[in-house]
Amino acid sequence: MIGPDLNDYLLFAEIVVHGGFAAAGRALRMPKSTLSRRVAALEARLGVRLIERSTRRFRVTEVGQAFHERCRAILLEVQQAEAAVSEALGEPRGTVRVSCPLGLVESLSATFSAFLQRFPKVKLQVVALDRPVDLIAERVDVAIRVRGALDTDAALTLRTLGKSSRILVAAPQLATACAGGDVAALADLPTLATTDQMGEIQWEFKNAEGTIRSVRHEPRMTCVDFGALRDAAVAGLGIALLPDHACWLQVASGELVPVFPDWRTGEGIVHLVFTTRRGLPPAVRAFIDHLAAAFRNDL
């Protein structure tokens, strides 16, 4: 019997994660035919069908799903073995793959650059997206998340960085129209909202006494990118509800002014998620420590 080839295990895992041969081929920069041939050889060696495939259908068999879980475990062990070697080398090196919410990328860009300048032998891959990631299946070293409550997955390790809340901000000339007013006035003022939908929406606020107020309004501009809304607010086009980390520089410079400051939305906990504390590659551990230090210094 021919011995196992761990590369075949990796290729099979990538095919399952990407949901097909074509998508995995693009991600791995390998021909679809090569992947199909390698999986067919793997199935022949194992004597089982791992993937049911045709021109219109791709389905992982029950045996294939169980095999995929084992492949993930094997790949994690390989990563930890490499981490042990890297740790012995001392200086952080290699690639750190981190997922980050779209709204945080701009705020953290200088921190990412500073990390690379500090550790010249490290490469950083930032995957900007707003959906939760499967750290093992998608081979992500560290996930940056903002949640109302911390993740409770026992297989994950958490490190809290700080808190973020959304505040109402406007250009100085528009802010004067809000001074001393009630938050309900938002319904009659131009607003800018982080949504991809047009039409009437609702914002919910809470004050220090715990009183909750809901305001329905129709934004003048909607966009899921915080930077675009912040620029529109600076231009005086409306009142924006933005995370404080996305506009603190403009507030500090006076380009934006907090309005209705007694009213805020719920706080989000900014935290890191990674798979294990033991066996972390030096580059990953250095990145985690670097990011934590940046938040301690009031990023």
Side-chain angles (χ1 to χ4, degrees):
M1 180 178 181
I2 301 175
D5 185 340
L6 290 181
N7 287 322
D8 288 341
Y9 291 12
L10 170 61
L11 294 178
F12 172 74
E14 290 290 332
I15 292 166
V16 174
V17 167
H18 288 90
F21 291 89
R26 289 190 293 270
L28 297 171
R29 297 182 181 180
M30 293 180 65
K32 175 182 174 182
S33 58
T34 299
L35 294 177
S36 180
R37 185 172 64 253
R38 295 285 291 268
V39 170
L42 179 61
E43 289 175 326
R45 187 176 64 79
L46 296 174
V48 295
R49 193 74 163 171
L50 299 173
I51 297 174
E52 296 290 349
R53 49 203 184 271
S54 66
T55 56
R56 295 185 177 181
R57 188 180 184 191
F58 173 90
R59 184 182 71 85
V60 183
T61 66
E62 186 175 346
V63 173
Q65 290 286 3
F67 185 68
H68 177 242
E69 291 300 318
R70 295 294 183 181
C71 286
R72 290 173 57 180
I74 290 171
L75 292 174
L76 180 59
E77 289 293 332
V78 170
Q79 291 169 2
Q80 291 178 345
E82 291 181 347
V85 174
S86 296
E87 194 163 2
L89 294 174
E91 184 178 1
R93 65 185 67 210
T95 300
V96 178
R97 181 172 161 86
V98 55
S99 69
C100 181
L102 289 167
L104 267 178
V105 172
E106 183 180 31
S107 299
L108 292 175
S109 61
T111 303
F112 295 153
S113 297
F115 171 73
L116 291 175
Q117 290 170 342
R118 183 179 177 187
F119 301 103
K121 295 184 179 180
V122 176
K123 297 178 181 178
L124 185 64
Q125 181 182 9
V126 179
V127 183
L129 40 76
D130 284 328
R131 64 171 177 82
V133 298
D134 183 325
L135 275 74
I136 298 176
E138 299 182 58
R139 299 166 65 192
V140 170
D141 297 305
V142 183
I144 304 171
R145 294 179 179 173
V146 183
R147 300 282 191 276
L150 293 175
D151 298 90
T152 56
D153 191 330
L156 300 177
T157 300
L158 308 178
R159 182 164 179 176
T160 302
L161 299 179
K163 292 185 177 181
S164 174
S165 61
R166 297 200 177 202
I167 60 174
L168 291 163
V169 292
Q173 62 269 31
L174 181 55
T176 57
C178 307
D182 187 272
V183 72
L186 283 171
D188 300 315
L189 291 168
T191 54
L192 312 167
T194 51
T195 176
D196 55 5
Q197 302 295 323
M198 290 298 288
E200 190 177 66
I201 64 171
Q202 178 174 296
W203 282 343
E204 190 171 275
F205 302 95
K206 181 186 291 186
N207 64 12
E209 289 73 39
T211 303
I212 297 176
R213 296 283 296 276
S214 296
V215 180
R216 299 196 67 84
H217 58 104
E218 186 167 343
R220 185 180 182 191
M221 174 181 173
T222 64
C223 181
V224 295
D225 181 71
F226 295 143
L229 288 188
R230 185 190 59 229
D231 291 346
V234 169
L237 300 179
I239 300 170
L241 181 61
L242 293 171
D244 48 14
H245 61 72
C247 60
W248 72 269
L249 281 174
Q250 289 70 30
V251 171
S253 69
E255 292 177 283
L256 291 175
V257 178
V259 296
F260 306 113
D262 295 333
W263 298 91
R264 294 199 174 199
T265 61
E267 287 187 328
I269 304 171
V270 185
H271 59 287
L272 303 179
V273 181
F274 44 101
T275 54
T276 179
R277 289 189 185 276
R278 298 182 59 188
L280 279 177
V284 175
R285 184 171 296 282
F287 176 78
I288 292 171
D289 292 341
H290 180 84
L291 205 57
F295 271 80
R296 282 197 303 271
N297 295 328
D298 296 325
L299 177 71

